[in-house]
Amino acid sequence: ALKECFSPEHGITLTPDNVLGLLSLITWSMAWVIAFKYLMVMMRADNDGDGVPDSSDKCPRDAGAPADQGCPRARVEQGQIRILDRVEFATGKDTILPSSEPILEAVRKVLAEHSDIAKLRIEGHTDDRGSNKTNRDLSRRRAASVMRWLTQRKVEAGRLSAWGCGEEYPLLPNTDDPARQANRRVEFHIEGAADGEATREKCQALTP
């Protein structure tokens, strides 16, 4: 049949070059098919089993909700328990807003799953509005509120410490409202982690 297709009657003569060309075309076609199938498999891959394909998963090694682009609300990373959302408080107070309880529950879950975290330093930070003394006090009380929330849910108090850093360590220059909002935050630092940060000099610990 191959010879008939390449017969002189069809204007094509079967020669070694034609055969090699045809084999090359078939080989490349098969390679593209295999590559396409491999790409489809990779696009559907979901290493952490969270239902979000790795191709669109922001955290392909840690399971998270599709609404959070596959990232968990809290995870261990670079010497911290990093949180996906902010811990929000009532304005000028240390009262944790109910909307922030899910993120604190995620932190509690990380601590429950990681018994190797012997000590967690909870740091409160503020923006630059108000006096430095007032901000440090507010940040310390907010860190204490987070610590209290966790201990009330069976996290051992001995694993936690609360520190107030006030306005001393901003993430961004306090030049506008979005920057100030970013600077008002709570951080969770794992003490003794190889890739963690040492206690900051200008932060003050909560004392009994």
Side-chain angles (χ1 to χ4, degrees), residues 59-81:
C59 306
R61 297 177 180 273
D62 300 287
D68 296 323
Q69 295 182 299
C71 287
R73 292 196 165 190
R75 61 175 175 159
V76 175
E77 183 181 53
Q78 295 179 337
Q80 296 186 43
I81 296 179

Side-chain angles (χ1 to χ4, degrees), residues 3-4 19 29-30 39 48 78 80 84 111-113 128 151 156 191 200-201 206:
K3 287 184 178 181
E4 291 177 359
V19 173
S29 298
M30 292 177 63
L39 180 61
D48 55 19
Q78 295 179 337
Q80 296 186 43
L84 192 62
L111 287 168
E113 294 173 348
D128 64 344
T151 56
E156 300 88 337
E191 299 279 8
R200 289 161 165 160
E201 293 181 1
L206 176 72

Side-chain angles (χ1 to χ4, degrees), residues 22-196:
L22 179 60
L23 290 175
S24 178
L25 178 62
I26 293 173
T27 300
W28 275 106
S29 298
M30 292 177 63
W32 276 109
V33 170
I34 293 171
F36 180 76
K37 288 183 177 180
Y38 177 76
L39 180 61
M40 292 299 99
V41 170
M42 291 301 295
M43 289 181 68
R44 292 193 295 268
D46 182 13
N47 286 320
D48 55 19
D50 61 2
V52 181
D54 290 347
S55 57
S56 56
D57 196 329
K58 298 293 185 181
C59 306
R61 297 177 180 273
D62 300 287
D68 296 323
Q69 295 182 299
C71 287
R73 292 196 165 190
R75 61 175 175 159
V76 175
E77 183 181 53
Q78 295 179 337
Q80 296 186 43
I81 296 179
R82 294 193 181 273
I83 54 178
L84 192 62
D85 300 312
R86 294 162 40 79
V87 179
E88 300 283 0
F89 299 87
T91 303
K93 298 180 179 180
D94 58 11
T95 304
I96 299 170
L97 297 182
S99 60
S100 287
E101 295 207 2
I103 196 68
L104 292 179
E105 172 58 24
V107 173
R108 185 207 63 77
K109 184 178 179 182
V110 170
L111 287 168
E113 294 173 348
H114 288 266
S115 58
D116 55 309
I117 300 178
K119 195 76 173 181
L120 186 70
R121 185 175 77 249
I122 304 167
E123 289 184 357
H125 297 262
T126 68
D127 59 29
D128 64 344
R129 288 180 291 195
S131 70
N132 195 21
K133 180 180 179 181
T134 298
N135 286 336
R136 184 176 286 113
D137 176 68
L138 177 61
S139 64
R140 188 166 59 238
R141 287 189 287 112
R142 286 180 169 178
S145 289
V146 171
M147 178 177 171
R148 185 163 53 250
W149 192 98
L150 292 169
T151 56
Q152 288 173 349
R153 287 155 182 82
K154 300 183 179 181
V155 177
E156 300 88 337
R159 298 177 70 189
L160 307 173
S161 63
W163 294 72
C165 304
E167 62 189 74
E168 298 291 350
Y169 299 96
L171 292 176
L172 300 169
N174 286 289
T175 54
D176 53 34
D177 287 341
R180 288 190 177 93
Q181 184 181 46
N183 292 332
R184 298 190 300 270
R185 67 196 190 278
V186 174
E187 295 180 354
F188 301 89
H189 293 267
I190 301 170
E191 299 279 8
D195 53 353

